């Protein structure tokens, strides 16, 4: 159908929070953080800098490289667990900030799997009889707003960022789709291992919920690691088995940048360590923005050529997971 990626973009806040900085805040050390996560620094948004601010800047970067105006977009999807507010949705706020015309706008909440959920959704809508021509898919997170900075087991992991991908249907049946194959799934039985307990209808904000730090990320470490590795590896193997292309034609594997131990375990089990892209040491875990950041870095550095295949894979709270084989 000729649906292809025509632009990528990313944005990270100016402030850097290094491991040395964290040593002054909680009982931790650079050696402890690096040995367990591979993270050396992360970007932190200003107090007045919102998720939609970062999303809009990533979108503008993607629009520039795509060479199109925002008012030509037919669809805007934002994946985030840190929306500016419960409603209106963040996509509509981004729509206003980038000067887009009236179009379909909605948010997706699939945690770290969100960008791939969004790309799968956008592709389905563009390939439908609705025939949307251009779609903007964003992963944006201000995780610093939901991190407990007194909890050394989680505060060292996360950073703030946004990444954007623009899709276009050129209507040429001879143009191969960017979407070669995909897997999207979830298992709600594991929803309690990674969550923010308070702030929703199940536990509205109260003095008690605030006093008990229930508006922050809560994570069960060992179980999260096991499920993350298993779900990502199985999703990749499913796509590899279904693909009608030689394995050596997959130029890059981009896993969700949660931490280096997870990335290394996935790379080892797939037996493709030399093709696994990672940048977690510079950003930390940016949730739904992480794969988009990697994709933009590869795109802008000239490490992607027409016809290359990129295998992307993610997992997140829910437990959600997704893999997408991209044809560049």
């Amino acid at each position: 159908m000729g649906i292809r990626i025509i632009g990528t973009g990313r944005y990270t806040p100016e402030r850097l929070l290094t491991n040395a900085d964290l040593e002054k805040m909680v009982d931790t050390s650079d050696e402890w953080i690096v040995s367990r996560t591979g993270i050396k620094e992360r970007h932190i948004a200003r107090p007045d800098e919102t998720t939609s601010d970062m999303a809009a800047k990533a979108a503008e970067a993607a629009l520039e490289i795509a060479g199109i105006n925002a008012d030509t977009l037919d669809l805007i999807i934002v994946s985030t667990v840190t929306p500016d507010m419960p409603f209106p949705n963040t996509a509509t706020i981004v729509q206003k900030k980038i000067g887009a015309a009236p179009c379909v706008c909605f948010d997706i909440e699939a945690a770290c799997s969100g960008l791939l959920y969004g790309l799968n959704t956008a592709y389905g809508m563009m390939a439908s009889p609705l025939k949307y021509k251009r779609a903007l898919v964003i992963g944006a997170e201000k995780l610093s707003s939901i991190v407990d900075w007194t909890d050394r087991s989680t505060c060292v992991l996360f950073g703030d960022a946004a990444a954007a991908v623009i899709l276009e249907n050129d209507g040429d049946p001879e143009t191969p789709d960017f979407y070669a194959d995909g897997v999207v799934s979830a298992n709600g039985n594991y929803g309690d291992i990674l969550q923010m307990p308070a702030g929703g209808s199940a536990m509205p904000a109260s003095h008690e919920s605030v006093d008990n730090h229930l508006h922050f990320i809560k994570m069960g470490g060992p179980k999260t690691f096991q499920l993350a590795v298993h779900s990502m590896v199985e999703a990749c193997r499913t796509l590899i088995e279904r693909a009608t292309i030689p394995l050596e034609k997959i130029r890059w594997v981009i896993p969700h940048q949660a931490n280096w131990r997870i990335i290394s375990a996935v790379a080892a089990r797939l037996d493709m360590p030399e093709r696994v892209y990672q940048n977690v040491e510079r950003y930390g875990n940016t949730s739904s923005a992480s794969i988009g950041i990697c994709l933009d870095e590869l795109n802008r550095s000239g490490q992607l050529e027409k016809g290359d295949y990129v295998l992307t894979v993610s997992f997140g709270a829910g437990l959600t997971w997704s893999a997408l084989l991209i044809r560049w």
Side-chain angles (χ1 to χ4, degrees):
M1 287 171 284
I3 302 173
R4 58 197 177 96
I5 294 173
I6 62 168
T8 60
R10 69 182 187 274
Y11 171 78
T12 50
E14 292 182 8
R15 181 192 170 194
L16 277 180
L17 183 69
T18 67
N19 291 347
D21 295 325
L22 283 168
E23 288 177 348
K24 302 171 186 176
M25 298 166 58
V26 291
D27 182 16
T28 191
S29 68
D30 177 69
E31 187 279 329
W32 188 92
I33 298 170
V34 172
S35 65
R36 287 161 176 80
T37 71
I39 301 168
K40 297 180 180 179
E41 60 188 25
R42 67 288 292 150
H43 294 255
I44 302 297
R46 302 185 313 271
D48 65 342
E49 192 170 29
T50 65
T51 294
S52 68
D53 288 335
M54 295 188 290
K57 289 178 180 178
E60 288 166 350
L63 287 164
E64 182 178 8
I65 200 172
I68 65 171
N69 294 324
D71 61 7
T72 66
L73 295 170
D74 304 301
L75 172 64
I76 300 174
I77 301 173
V78 174
S79 168
T80 185
V81 298
T82 56
D84 286 17
M85 57 192 79
F87 60 88
N89 68 55
T90 307
T92 59
I93 302 173
V94 172
Q95 177 192 37
K96 177 181 177 180
K97 289 183 176 180
I98 65 175
C103 64
V104 178
C105 296
F106 61 89
D107 291 358
I108 285 179
E109 201 280 82
C112 305
S113 304
L115 186 73
L116 297 190
Y117 265 60
L119 288 171
N120 274 277
T121 302
Y123 177 74
M125 294 178 70
M126 295 176 77
S128 76
L130 296 173
K131 299 188 184 302
Y132 295 105
K133 183 177 180 181
R134 286 176 176 161
L136 169 63
V137 182
I138 303 171
E141 306 288 5
K142 187 177 179 179
L143 295 172
S144 61
S145 66
I146 59 170
V147 164
D148 183 350
W149 293 103
T150 67
D151 180 3
R152 70 170 188 169
S153 67
T154 57
C155 73
V156 303
L157 300 176
F158 300 101
D160 300 334
V165 177
I166 296 177
L167 307 176
E168 180 181 69
N169 188 344
D170 64 13
D172 185 355
E174 300 299 318
T175 302
D177 287 347
F178 85 94
Y179 190 101
D181 202 353
V183 171
V184 184
S185 194
N187 187 339
N189 290 315
Y190 297 108
D192 59 345
I193 67 167
L194 187 54
Q195 61 177 320
M196 188 179 79
S201 62
M203 190 184 298
S206 65
H207 283 294
E208 183 180 9
S209 67
V210 172
D211 291 344
N212 290 327
H213 290 206
L214 298 178
H215 295 266
F216 298 125
I217 297 170
K218 306 295 181 183
M219 183 170 64
K223 191 65 175 178
T224 303
F225 177 90
Q226 296 166 11
L227 289 169
V229 173
H230 176 76
S231 62
M232 289 203 292
V233 169
E234 289 306 304
C236 285
R237 285 175 174 166
T238 297
L239 288 192
I240 290 170
E241 289 173 4
R242 292 199 318 223
T244 57
I245 61 169
L247 192 60
E248 57 269 19
K249 290 205 70 174
I250 298 177
R251 184 167 183 184
W252 293 105
V253 178
I254 304 178
H256 166 51
Q257 306 291 299
N259 69 59
W260 178 239
R261 292 176 62 205
I262 292 176
I263 295 169
S264 297
V266 171
R269 296 190 189 186
L270 293 177
D271 197 25
M272 291 190 289
E274 74 285 352
R275 283 178 276 175
V276 172
Y277 189 81
Q278 70 89 21
N279 57 19
V280 69
E281 73 279 0
R282 291 182 283 122
Y283 301 105
N285 183 344
T286 57
S287 188
S288 64
S290 77
I291 288 177
I293 291 172
C294 294
L295 202 59
D296 188 55
E297 286 186 342
L298 286 170
N299 185 25
R300 291 174 186 267
S301 62
Q303 297 183 73
L304 286 171
E305 298 177 0
K306 185 177 180 179
D308 282 346
Y309 286 89
V310 181
L311 179 58
T312 61
V313 63
S314 60
F315 78 96
L319 182 83
T320 63
W321 65 89
S322 181
L324 175 59
L325 182 59
I326 295 172
R327 183 188 293 108
W328 198 251

